[in-house]
Amino acid sequence: MKKLRISAAVMALCLMSGVCLSGCKSSEYAATSDTSASAGSQSDTGLTLPIDTESGDPAGSSTDTTMMKMTYQNNYDAGAIAEMNKTVKIHGIQFTTLDYNYYFANEYVQLMTSAYGSLPMTAAGFIDMNGDLTEDKKVKDYMGEQVIFDLQGEAFLLDYAQKNNLEVDEEILQKIEDTFTDTEKTAAEYGMTLDEYLQAWYGPDANVEGMRSVLQRYELINLSMKHYVDEYHFEEGETLLPIVYHVLFPTISLETYETLSDEEVATAKQRAEELCNSVTDLDDLQTKSEASINAGEAVEARQYTVQLGQMVKEFEDWCFADHNVGDCDVVETKYGFHVIYFVGKEEASEEQRAEIAYKQFQAEMDEAVVSEDYAPEFS
């Protein structure tokens, strides 16, 4: 759920029927979108994978594909299967192999979707679990961390649901049953029973009864997030968002994203400082920034109403610090030197208020799941 992912918002793909359930998470490798950061949001996108009968590629890379009966071993290689089927207790909740595999499958697809092309792959076309994802982390280590983070997030939200007497209603329960109906039709297209289809994605312990429990809990954690946002009480001034005008003098190539030469970086800094020091008001800045863009010195000049989590940290830190209208500074980020001019503040919209509440929820959850109370106990 760190996509919950859980350190911030999780888009968890439900492979069984092409339904995408909103969870809570954020990750360097997670696919992100506006909807994934909104509490209780839903997506109608999903996944139905054909099997390439020529190559055996589980991603169906060939355009000439046939829907044929699949197996667990079609969808995952031995390296991935070795990382699945684990049981773990977190915050007093015993999670089964199906619980673990549900999040593993979601993480597997998320990683394939968001980082395809940069992932270490096996000759057979599977993600190489023993490959290096970063300089200091193997794929299997990353996957294990994310699954545990997802389960920790679920434990946090189930605890929240219990404390607030939350329960899924008949409409949600019926939606889950409709999901099984749709999934059964998909399974039939592969010549499979529903249980066989679930086992192909979630392992030998998967069945309808177990999956129903998994999905009911997942809907309950979505309900918990929505409840938190709906009941959130804002502090004075918390719903006032900073408005800034900024001009970016880049220190990276917009084509290759490589850092410019030391001389070019120094020139960008000098131009940003000269602009900031010369402006008299907002109109003056807008006129001069347009000239800088026309000269090819700056690459962006625009006004923003800044929300938490929207900008890179250095930019956001400046915006949310105490400023007077007309304050101007140069702030360096990984993209370059930003001339930032403080325009004022405005009241957040209903959507922005929900985002503020959701960010606070994420912060509370992040703090909780890294505590000893949420340490995983493998069995």
Side-chain angles (χ1 to χ4, degrees), residues 250-264:
T251 56
I252 61 172
S253 167
L254 298 183
E255 296 180 355
T256 66
Y257 297 101
E258 294 181 354
T259 303
L260 301 179
S261 68
D262 291 345
E263 182 179 353
E264 290 171 312

Side-chain angles (χ1 to χ4, degrees), residues 15 76 100-110 201-202:
L15 303 180
Y76 309 100
Y100 194 94
N101 290 353
Y102 174 72
Y103 284 110
F104 186 97
N106 292 336
E107 293 294 345
Y108 191 96
V109 173
Q110 287 286 345
W201 287 112
Y202 301 114

Side-chain angles (χ1 to χ4, degrees), residues 115 117-122 126-133 138-139:
S118 62
L119 291 171
M121 306 293 289
T122 67
F126 295 96
I127 300 176
D128 184 359
M129 290 290 127
N130 290 309
D132 295 326
L133 186 62
K138 292 187 177 298
V139 174

Side-chain angles (χ1 to χ4, degrees), residues 18-313:
V19 174
C20 186
L21 299 177
S22 170
C24 25
K25 90 179 173 180
S26 69
S27 166
E28 179 181 356
Y29 304 99
T32 58
S33 68
D34 290 341
T35 56
S36 69
S38 300
S41 63
Q42 298 266 344
S43 167
D44 59 4
T45 60
L47 179 69
T48 300
L49 297 182
I51 300 300
D52 183 343
T53 56
E54 296 296 323
S55 67
D57 180 0
S61 56
S62 170
T63 56
D64 183 16
T65 60
T66 301
M67 304 289 272
M68 59 173 286
K69 190 171 183 177
M70 72 179 82
T71 67
Y72 185 42
Q73 288 74 22
N74 286 136
N75 293 328
Y76 309 100
D77 68 353
I81 291 174
E83 301 303 319
M84 301 174 73
N85 303 303
K86 298 177 182 179
T87 58
V88 61
K89 180 183 287 188
I90 298 173
H91 199 59
I93 300 176
Q94 181 64 57
F95 291 104
T96 67
T97 56
L98 179 54
D99 295 319
Y100 194 94
N101 290 353
Y102 174 72
Y103 284 110
F104 186 97
N106 292 336
E107 293 294 345
Y108 191 96
V109 173
Q110 287 286 345
L111 189 58
M112 179 73 84
T113 302
S114 63
Y116 188 78
S118 62
L119 291 171
M121 306 293 289
T122 67
F126 295 96
I127 300 176
D128 184 359
M129 290 290 127
N130 290 309
D132 295 326
L133 186 62
T134 64
E135 291 183 359
D136 57 356
K137 185 168 294 185
K138 292 187 177 298
V139 174
K140 64 180 181 182
D141 297 326
Y142 169 80
M143 289 289 291
E145 290 174 359
Q146 300 315 309
V147 173
I148 292 301
F149 216 16
D150 291 341
L151 292 171
Q152 288 170 323
E154 180 170 316
F156 176 88
L157 285 162
L158 291 176
D159 186 55
Y160 179 92
Q162 183 179 34
K163 290 176 180 177
N164 290 276
N165 300 314
L166 303 180
E167 295 181 353
V168 293
D169 59 20
E170 289 299 322
E171 182 180 355
I172 291 175
L173 294 175
Q174 184 57 53
K175 183 176 69 172
I176 292 173
E177 294 310 309
D178 292 342
T179 295
F180 283 118
T181 299
D182 293 340
T183 305
E184 191 166 22
K185 294 176 183 177
T186 301
E189 294 176 3
Y190 288 91
M192 305 169 71
T193 67
L194 180 53
D195 277 352
E196 286 175 332
Y197 187 77
L198 295 177
Q199 288 161 9
W201 287 112
Y202 301 114
D205 292 338
N207 55 41
V208 173
E209 181 180 358
M211 203 67 199
R212 180 178 288 112
S213 177
V214 169
L215 295 182
Q216 286 177 0
R217 293 200 312 272
Y218 203 89
E219 289 289 358
L220 186 56
I221 69 176
N222 281 332
L223 188 60
S224 295
M225 287 186 287
K226 184 177 185 304
H227 182 272
Y228 183 100
V229 171
D230 290 345
E231 298 297 319
Y232 184 75
H233 297 289
F234 293 96
E235 299 291 338
E236 183 178 356
E238 192 174 3
T239 58
L240 291 175
L241 299 177
I243 306 170
V244 300
Y245 189 91
H246 102 113
V247 188
L248 173 61
F249 293 83
T251 56
I252 61 172
S253 167
L254 298 183
E255 296 180 355
T256 66
Y257 297 101
E258 294 181 354
T259 303
L260 301 179
S261 68
D262 291 345
E263 182 179 353
E264 290 171 312
V265 170
T267 299
K269 181 179 181 181
Q270 179 181 352
R271 287 170 174 163
E273 291 174 343
E274 289 176 349
L275 175 60
C276 186
N277 292 332
S278 70
V279 297
T280 57
D281 55 28
L282 180 57
D283 288 339
D284 185 38
L285 175 59
Q286 291 173 330
T287 300
K288 291 178 178 177
S289 63
E290 182 177 350
S292 294
I293 288 179
N294 291 337
E297 299 169 351
V299 295
E300 181 182 73
R302 59 175 295 187
Q303 185 167 298
Y304 286 103
T305 298
V306 183
Q307 300 180 54
L308 286 169
Q310 184 184 54
M311 304 295 189
V312 291
K313 183 179 185 303

